[in-house]
Amino acid sequence: MRYLTDIEIAQAKNPLHIKNIAEKLGIDEDDLEMYGKHKAKLPLFLIDDEKVAQNNLVLVTALTPTPAGEGKTTVSIGLTEGLNKIGKQAVVVLREPSLGPVFGMKGGAAGGGYSQVIPMEEINLHFTGDFNAVEKANNLLAALIDNNIQNKTNNLNIDPRTVLWKRVMDMNDRSLREIIIGLGGTANGVPRQDGFNITPASEVMAILCMSTDLDNLKERLGNIFIGFTFDNKPVFAKDLKAENAMAILLKEAIKPNLVQTLEGNPAILHGGPFANIAQGTNTIIATKMGLSLANYAVTEAGFGADLGAEKFLNIKSTFAKLNPKCVVLVATIRALRHHGGAKSEEYNTPNLERVSEGFKNLEKHIENVRKFHVEPVVAINSFISDSDEEVAFVIEKCAKLGVKAVVSEGWAKGGEGTKKLAAAVVDVVENKATQYKPLYDWKSPIKQKIETIAKEMYGAKTVEYSKQAQIDLRRIDRLGFNDFAVCMAKTQKSFSDNEFLIGRPEGFTVTVREIEIAAGAQFVIPILGKMMRMPGLPVIPASENMTIDKNGVISGLS
Amino acid sequence: MRYLTDIEIAQAKNPLHIKNIAEKLGIDEDDLEMYGKHKAKLPLFLIDDEKVAQNNLVLVTALTPTPAGEGKTTVSIGLTEGLNKIGKQAVVVLREPSLGPVFGMKGGAAGGGYSQVIPMEEINLHFTGDFNAVEKANNLLAALIDNNIQNKTNNLNIDPRTVLWKRVMDMNDRSLREIIIGLGGTANGVPRQDGFNITPASEVMAILCMSTDLDNLKERLGNIFIGFTFDNKPVFAKDLKAENAMAILLKEAIKPNLVQTLEGNPAILHGGPFANIAQGTNTIIATKMGLSLANYAVTEAGFGADLGAEKFLNIKSTFAKLNPKCVVLVATIRALRHHGGAKSEEYNTPNLERVSEGFKNLEKHIENVRKFHVEPVVAINSFISDSDEEVAFVIEKCAKLGVKAVVSEGWAKGGEGTKKLAAAVVDVVENKATQYKPLYDWKSPIKQKIETIAKEMYGAKTVEYSKQAQIDLRRIDRLGFNDFAVCMAKTQKSFSDNEFLIGRPEGFTVTVREIEIAAGAQFVIPILGKMMRMPGLPVIPASENMTIDKNGVISGLS
């Protein structure tokens, strides 16, 4: 016997027509913009700020993950099924997957097992074209920059050596990381060093996800900081009159996408910024759409809570005036063993001592969530290798901290396996929710914001700044960007900037190596380590094992 | 007073719901895959080979054009309106526009004036994502090639210096024409010279347009010739096991797109290969779809008849077993003046002498069409600067050749202005249509096919081959590709390979400089001059004058 693969489970399910899903949310069929029978875009006028304030936002985040990830998306989807099973009206709001990893190591990203969003293939392949629109808007700006450098009239005097704007492609293609463009003589542009990032790493993606409407999107696009002129003046996208054309390319992408879960509950997927160098969560518009249409909106933020939840709560929730009522911390026994010192080959072997030792990591995340005045629930994402003893230990330890920990069996059983988790979340929302508070004031100086995060969230003792970071801080000051939010770029493998410090490290120093500017997104990005922005393909690319038959049925997509 | 712009005319029209358009073609609403309310994809099972054979295919082509083009798309759309007005059931089948030129010089490509397909903005911006799918399939293959070169295991021994496969982007971006990739050390790939073409120049686009179904697409993708190993063996996409993943990326793109004309008649837009280095006409699938659904399918092929019609009739019609019943040759008085020696500043000034002299160009095209055993109709695409005298002259000269020439006023009046043209086309189809014959046998040697085209179509006296072309011919022979079709790459500005030889040049020599291989598309491409595969932006890019308001209404798109 073998388990069914995700695509097999997804294909076995006959999806409902998307108009039936929309009906569950009270959306008139006429307001839907269908993309085939199982996907639709939702018009922005369905957002209702009063309902956004009334309804209940639940954020799913995780402890510090192992490389395989701990299943936040699967738990988010499963929890939504469970909430609907116990009589709540719930929608899950998620990021759209990137195409690049589909052919690489990671595969698709639409949940797993019996907690998936469907149609899985279409969600993982082009979907409704949003990533392509982001890519084209990004690359139009790049073409306009090099065109301006090339031509003598209409010239902004841009110094090609200062251009920070990269081209993007939604593909795992390491050979494009560092390139030289503009070769071949005077007709072919001005030669300069350049490179491609993967599309979700584009600032345009970050901007799309921070925007509240089309006008706000356009303003943010215009504010993108490109580089400097030869006389050291900053150049922005609006100097190239690029913001309207870029917004035109994004005019459909700004609308959230409606799909469904395996159990026929509504799912909104929209935007997909990287979690390492951007905010790692879906668009503000989609979150507001979810809250406008359902009593419960379950959403997710990338990586562990020190990154994903921190950015969600300090950046997104503050800017969008959201009030998360409960934070679900996903934990796995496997990850707790890891934080207790288990090697990767020991991840699937029960070991209470390791779990006991590793619990410190989860405990720190619990403390962190409470610093935002939000009450956590721990979801133990169930694995076959979990022992009863280990699970009981975690539940008991959490209980001592006043936190409900519940085994989540969404992967194996769908909503039937998450009813208890759903009940625990409802209990927090109905009985323990308060007004969340961000950790810092956006108006405070950049350094102060960085230190607050490093000390309060990570548990660092001190923050050091490299020479480059100090130069960057002065540049930020000169450009007047001090009141931007801080979007930290750090390894997800540790609370610290050293991926080998597992568990709950203490007394450490984090080093800010450089600080990037995302002026359109309105945040600065302190870089605490080497960040991957263009993955490569593995030795045997996933594409080799994919097939499609004459009727268009796909296999081998994971 | 000023004329309305294309976008103003298009926006003033309230389009019908696409299901009402489908209804006109007898398509069940349930078989439609809607993309919003005004676009839909059509499933391939609607193709009916019996109806393809019964119904009437009309090809719109043109005399040798001036740089602005002579309005083939506008005439094709107008003719379709006219056919419907005189009681025929007609559909227009066209290429999809490329995004790159929208921000460059050329602007959009959805007809003009009162002969347009709508929604014009959406057709010109991403549309249903087909170009993006082609781009991603192309670039996945590129990433797989460089990944294979990078990794020691699973290695095919590809010589990076021989890789012919380029990356593509649907953007006018000259700086990407010639680049170096793979810089930055051992983790970032193997450095090599590379470049980007614009997406419609991809062989994947040519393949999509030649494919008859998903299996045929997959086979063709696998047959793409990439380059050589270090021991000089040819490498194909199938050696990288790329064809399934590429076909997966194209599984929606293979379905034709249904939209509508301004007068609410059906329009099928699908595929968009370059006319200079590829076949320059929509997919075979779309043409067959049109013929399956309507009594008349009006289609178009890029550039003048010496390129577009030649390729349509020798390559596409032969392979797809199509039987065009009438060829509409679009002529403008402006272009006839040009071929009579008028300078560009004299294009809009009546001059019977010039027109009389320039008529030789049209006459040669008429002769050419008849070599395929198809009867032409001449459509004089009406301009305000045309004099009655000039128009009368052309009609009379055509009549002497036994050809009906009709003034086409589709741009100014829509279908009301093309009823006479429609009647002339119906007369040919109903009374003069015979079985068309291709000019050459695919089985004949490459050189013989090239000579047939050069002598019969262009009027060349001799064909010469450069050293490189001779090497290429031997390579083609060695690879066993002699029975491929020949897809000529030549300037559209002259029958010859010298763009300055206007009118009807005679006694000239054409030189084949090199011959490319498109093994998946099953043609070789003799290059008779420098071909542009990645356009640049103009000094003032069109993007600068575009705006979008808070409701998503666009202006400045042309």
Side-chain angles (χ1 to χ4, degrees):
Chain A
M1 186 207 138
R2 66 168 179 90
Y3 288 99
L4 293 175
T5 62
D6 289 349
I7 194 171
E8 286 167 342
I9 293 170
Q11 285 174 344
K13 181 78 193 178
N14 212 344
L16 296 171
H17 197 290
I18 197 65
K19 67 188 175 192
N20 300 122
I21 303 296
E23 212 182 328
K24 292 188 183 189
L25 297 171
I27 302 171
D28 198 289
E29 189 186 331
D30 219 46
D31 290 339
L32 282 185
E33 294 176 28
M34 281 183 238
Y35 279 62
K37 292 180 180 62
H38 307 122
K39 298 168 287 179
K41 281 206 167 271
L42 301 175
L44 298 199
F45 65 72
L46 294 175
I47 293 175
D48 177 337
D49 281 327
E50 215 164 290
K51 287 194 177 150
V52 171
Q54 278 164 14
N55 285 324
N56 303 305
L57 178 59
V58 177
L59 172 66
V60 177
T61 181
L63 83 178
T64 305
T66 62
E70 307 317 313
K72 288 187 304 292
T73 308
T74 303
V75 170
S76 302
I77 297 165
L79 171 59
T80 305
E81 311 281 38
L83 284 165
N84 280 286
K85 273 236 186 292
I86 64 168
K88 299 294 175 186
Q89 188 207 25
V91 55
V92 65
V93 186
L94 297 169
R95 280 176 289 173
E96 305 174 50
S98 163
L99 185 63
V102 168
F103 303 106
M105 287 285 233
K106 191 169 164 285
Y114 288 88
S115 289
Q116 293 189 57
V117 284
I118 52 173
M120 181 267 212
E121 302 96 314
E122 292 172 41
I123 290 169
N124 278 305
L125 299 164
H126 312 313
F127 198 27
T128 57
D130 295 344
F131 272 57
N132 175 46
V134 167
E135 188 169 314
K136 289 296 182 293
N138 181 103
N139 293 344
L140 174 61
L141 180 56
L144 291 171
I145 293 168
D146 280 303
N147 188 58
N148 192 277
I149 293 171
Q150 165 83 352
N151 292 310
K152 280 194 189 126
T153 46
N154 201 24
N155 189 293
L156 293 173
N157 197 31
I158 298 169
D159 181 346
R161 300 164 304 178
T162 69
V163 174
L164 299 162
W165 195 250
K166 298 280 177 87
R167 287 167 174 83
V168 297
M169 187 189 286
D170 201 14
M171 190 64 66
N172 284 14
D173 194 349
R174 72 169 68 74
S175 292
L176 294 180
R177 283 178 195 152
E178 294 197 28
I179 66 175
I180 294 173
I181 62 168
L183 299 171
T186 54
N188 292 354
V190 174
R192 66 180 184 88
Q193 200 179 345
D194 197 14
F196 277 71
N197 293 332
I198 192 165
T199 304
S202 167
E203 187 186 340
V204 176
M205 183 64 89
I207 286 172
L208 181 69
C209 291
M210 287 298 286
S211 297
T212 48
D213 58 29
L214 203 43
D215 265 357
N216 182 248
L217 172 72
K218 203 162 73 177
E219 190 188 333
R220 286 173 177 277
L221 293 168
N223 287 338
I224 291 170
F225 171 57
I226 286 162
F228 291 96
T229 62
F230 277 105
D231 44 7
N232 210 23
K233 296 207 178 86
V235 182
F236 299 92
K238 60 182 168 244
D239 297 325
L240 288 156
K241 301 191 183 80
E243 72 275 22
N244 273 282
M246 292 172 78
I248 285 171
L249 286 166
L250 293 165
K251 96 183 176 62
E252 299 304 313
I254 200 173
K255 299 172 189 165
N257 308 291
L258 181 67
V259 290
Q260 63 191 289
T261 65
L262 277 176
E263 296 180 10
N265 291 309
I268 297 174
L269 272 56
H270 197 213
F274 253 28
N276 59 1
I277 51 89
Q279 68 270 50
T281 175
N282 57 261
T283 64
I284 285 175
I285 285 171
T287 304
K288 286 189 166 185
M289 184 67 78
L291 287 167
S292 301
L293 297 171
N295 202 230
Y296 277 79
V298 178
T299 191
E300 177 240 17
F303 290 159
D306 52 326
L307 284 161
E310 184 273 308
K311 293 175 189 180
F312 188 93
L313 295 166
N314 279 324
I315 301 176
K316 178 173 175 172
S317 299
T318 308
F319 183 76
K321 300 191 177 63
L322 300 171
N323 182 28
K325 300 246 177 92
C326 175
V327 167
V328 175
L329 264 169
V330 177
T332 60
I333 299 298
R334 178 180 69 180
L336 292 170
R337 289 177 198 138
H338 161 77
H339 287 294
K343 296 186 189 113
S344 59
E345 59 271 25
E346 299 166 343
Y347 281 176
N348 296 320
T349 313
N351 188 325
L352 183 60
E353 211 172 313
R354 299 272 195 216
V355 170
S356 166
E357 172 68 14
F359 187 81
K360 292 191 299 188
N361 181 271
L362 181 57
E363 186 171 5
K364 169 67 176 155
H365 286 294
I366 290 171
E367 290 170 20
N368 281 358
V369 168
R370 284 177 163 163
K371 289 185 184 176
F372 291 95
H373 296 223
V374 191
E375 197 47 33
V377 165
V378 168
I380 304 170
N381 188 17
S382 181
F383 279 68
I384 289 167
S385 59
D386 300 350
S387 75
D388 292 347
E389 195 183 33
E390 291 167 308
V391 171
F393 172 84
V394 174
I395 291 173
E396 196 185 329
K397 283 286 276 185
C398 286
K400 280 192 189 148
L401 298 169
V403 174
K404 181 95 179 166
V406 189
V407 173
S408 177
E409 299 183 289
W411 186 84
K413 300 180 185 169
E416 204 51 48
T418 56
K419 280 157 73 176
K420 278 190 209 156
L421 175 63
V425 167
V426 169
D427 180 51
V428 166
V429 167
E430 291 185 355
N431 303 315
K432 293 174 195 164
T434 55
Q435 174 66 43
Y436 112 99
K437 274 179 72 167
L439 208 61
Y440 61 73
D441 178 1
W442 278 36
K443 298 276 170 209
S444 57
I446 298 291
K447 263 179 120 165
Q448 190 180 315
K449 286 178 278 200
I450 294 173
E451 299 221 356
T452 300
I453 294 167
K455 292 179 178 170
E456 296 281 327
M457 289 284 106
Y458 307 162
K461 196 172 161 217
T462 46
V463 182
E464 283 180 2
Y465 294 84
S466 73
K467 264 247 155 68
Q468 182 60 49
Q470 291 171 38
I471 293 167
D472 293 340
L473 277 170
R474 283 196 293 275
R475 177 187 281 184
I476 289 164
D477 190 56
R478 175 161 81 85
L479 294 169
F481 295 157
N482 274 313
D483 58 353
F484 282 0
V486 159
C487 184
M488 301 294 275
K490 179 183 74 72
T491 177
Q492 75 272 30
K493 294 179 183 168
S494 170
F495 274 111
S496 75
D497 56 359
N498 172 359
E499 65 179 70
F500 300 106
L501 293 183
I502 52 169
R504 182 179 183 160
E506 280 175 338
F508 58 88
T509 297
V510 294
T511 306
V512 179
R513 301 190 192 186
E514 53 182 319
I515 307 178
E516 295 188 2
I517 296 167
Q522 283 184 290
F523 43 70
V524 297
I525 307 163
I527 311 276
L528 275 61
K530 208 172 149 50
M531 292 296 129
M532 170 63 74
R533 290 154 202 243
M534 174 51 99
L537 289 169
V539 171
I540 312 279
S543 59
E544 289 199 7
N545 300 312
M546 294 178 183
T547 63
I548 181 166
D549 73 11
K550 65 178 166 34
N551 301 312
V553 178
I554 296 170
S555 71
L557 190 71
S558 61
Chain B
M1 188 207 136
R2 67 170 180 90
Y3 288 101
L4 291 175
T5 63
D6 289 351
I7 193 171
E8 286 167 339
I9 292 170
Q11 285 174 344
K13 182 78 193 178
N14 211 344
L16 296 172
H17 197 292
I18 197 67
K19 66 188 179 192
N20 301 121
I21 303 296
E23 212 184 327
K24 291 188 182 189
L25 297 171
I27 303 172
D28 198 289
E29 189 186 330
D30 219 45
D31 290 340
L32 280 186
E33 294 175 26
M34 281 183 239
Y35 279 61
K37 294 180 179 63
H38 307 122
K39 300 168 285 183
K41 282 207 166 271
L42 300 175
L44 299 198
F45 65 73
L46 295 175
I47 293 175
D48 177 337
D49 281 329
E50 214 163 290
K51 288 197 177 148
V52 171
Q54 278 164 13
N55 286 324
N56 305 304
L57 179 59
V58 177
L59 172 66
V60 176
T61 181
L63 83 178
T64 305
T66 62
E70 307 317 314
K72 288 188 302 293
T73 307
T74 303
V75 170
S76 301
I77 297 166
L79 171 58
T80 305
E81 310 281 39
L83 284 164
N84 279 288
K85 273 235 185 296
I86 65 169
K88 299 293 174 187
Q89 188 207 24
V91 57
V92 65
V93 185
L94 298 169
R95 280 178 288 172
E96 303 175 51
S98 163
L99 185 63
V102 167
F103 302 107
M105 286 288 233
K106 191 167 163 284
Y114 288 88
S115 290
Q116 292 189 58
V117 284
I118 53 173
M120 180 267 210
E121 300 97 314
E122 293 172 40
I123 290 168
N124 279 304
L125 299 166
H126 312 311
F127 199 25
T128 57
D130 295 345
F131 273 56
N132 175 47
V134 167
E135 189 170 311
K136 289 296 182 293
N138 180 103
N139 292 345
L140 173 63
L141 180 55
L144 291 170
I145 293 168
D146 281 302
N147 187 58
N148 193 277
I149 293 171
Q150 165 83 351
N151 292 310
K152 280 194 188 126
T153 46
N154 200 26
N155 189 294
L156 293 173
N157 197 30
I158 297 168
D159 182 345
R161 300 163 305 179
T162 69
V163 174
L164 299 162
W165 194 251
K166 297 280 177 89
R167 288 169 174 84
V168 296
M169 188 189 285
D170 200 15
M171 190 63 67
N172 284 15
D173 193 349
R174 70 171 70 73
S175 292
L176 294 179
R177 283 177 196 152
E178 294 197 27
I179 67 176
I180 293 172
I181 62 167
L183 300 171
T186 53
N188 293 353
V190 173
R192 66 180 183 86
Q193 201 178 345
D194 196 15
F196 277 71
N197 293 332
I198 193 166
T199 304
S202 168
E203 188 186 340
V204 176
M205 181 64 88
I207 286 172
L208 181 70
C209 291
M210 287 298 286
S211 297
T212 48
D213 58 29
L214 204 43
D215 265 356
N216 182 246
L217 172 72
K218 203 162 73 177
E219 190 188 333
R220 287 173 177 274
L221 292 170
N223 288 338
I224 291 171
F225 171 57
I226 286 163
F228 291 97
T229 62
F230 277 105
D231 45 6
N232 211 22
K233 296 208 178 84
V235 181
F236 299 92
K238 59 181 170 245
D239 297 324
L240 289 157
K241 302 191 183 76
E243 71 275 24
N244 272 282
M246 292 172 78
I248 284 172
L249 285 166
L250 292 164
K251 97 183 177 58
E252 300 302 313
I254 201 174
K255 300 172 189 165
N257 308 291
L258 181 66
V259 289
Q260 62 192 289
T261 65
L262 277 177
E263 295 179 9
N265 290 310
I268 296 173
L269 273 57
H270 198 211
F274 253 26
N276 58 1
I277 51 92
Q279 69 270 51
T281 173
N282 58 262
T283 64
I284 284 175
I285 285 172
T287 304
K288 287 189 167 183
M289 184 65 78
L291 286 167
S292 300
L293 297 170
N295 202 232
Y296 278 80
V298 178
T299 190
E300 178 239 18
F303 290 159
D306 52 325
L307 284 160
E310 184 274 307
K311 294 176 190 180
F312 187 95
L313 295 165
N314 279 324
I315 301 176
K316 177 173 176 171
S317 299
T318 308
F319 182 78
K321 299 192 177 62
L322 300 172
N323 182 27
K325 301 248 175 89
C326 175
V327 167
V328 175
L329 264 169
V330 177
T332 59
I333 298 299
R334 179 181 66 179
L336 292 170
R337 289 177 197 139
H338 160 77
H339 287 293
K343 296 185 187 113
S344 60
E345 60 271 25
E346 298 166 342
Y347 281 178
N348 295 320
T349 313
N351 187 326
L352 185 59
E353 210 172 311
R354 300 273 195 215
V355 171
S356 166
E357 173 69 16
F359 187 83
K360 292 191 301 188
N361 181 273
L362 181 58
E363 186 170 6
K364 170 68 175 154
H365 286 294
I366 290 170
E367 290 170 19
N368 281 358
V369 169
R370 284 176 163 162
K371 290 184 183 176
F372 292 94
H373 296 222
V374 190
E375 197 50 31
V377 165
V378 168
I380 305 170
N381 187 17
S382 181
F383 279 67
I384 288 167
S385 59
D386 299 351
S387 74
D388 292 348
E389 195 185 35
E390 291 167 310
V391 171
F393 171 84
V394 174
I395 291 172
E396 195 186 331
K397 283 285 278 185
C398 286
K400 279 191 189 147
L401 299 168
V403 174
K404 181 90 179 167
V406 189
V407 174
S408 176
E409 299 182 289
W411 186 85
K413 299 180 186 170
E416 204 51 49
T418 58
K419 281 156 74 175
K420 279 189 208 157
L421 174 63
V425 167
V426 169
D427 179 53
V428 166
V429 168
E430 291 184 355
N431 304 314
K432 294 173 194 164
T434 56
Q435 175 64 44
Y436 113 98
K437 275 180 71 166
L439 208 60
Y440 61 73
D441 179 0
W442 278 35
K443 298 274 170 214
S444 57
I446 298 291
K447 262 180 120 164
Q448 190 178 316
K449 286 179 277 203
I450 293 172
E451 300 222 353
T452 301
I453 294 166
K455 291 179 179 169
E456 295 283 325
M457 289 284 107
Y458 307 162
K461 199 173 160 213
T462 47
V463 181
E464 283 181 359
Y465 295 84
S466 73
K467 264 247 151 71
Q468 182 59 49
Q470 291 171 39
I471 294 168
D472 293 339
L473 277 170
R474 283 196 294 275
R475 174 187 284 185
I476 288 164
D477 190 55
R478 174 162 83 84
L479 293 169
F481 296 156
N482 274 313
D483 58 353
F484 282 180
V486 160
C487 184
M488 302 293 274
K490 178 182 75 70
T491 177
Q492 75 272 30
K493 294 179 184 169
S494 169
F495 274 110
S496 77
D497 57 359
N498 172 359
E499 65 178 69
F500 301 105
L501 293 184
I502 52 169
R504 181 179 184 160
E506 281 175 335
F508 58 88
T509 297
V510 293
T511 306
V512 178
R513 301 187 190 187
E514 52 181 321
I515 308 178
E516 295 189 2
I517 297 167
Q522 282 185 290
F523 43 69
V524 298
I525 307 165
I527 311 276
L528 275 62
K530 206 172 152 49
M531 292 295 131
M532 170 63 72
R533 289 154 202 244
M534 175 51 99
L537 289 169
V539 172
I540 311 278
S543 59
E544 290 200 6
N545 299 312
M546 294 179 183
T547 63
I548 181 167
D549 72 12
K550 66 179 165 32
N551 302 312
V553 178
I554 296 170
S555 71
L557 191 72
S558 61

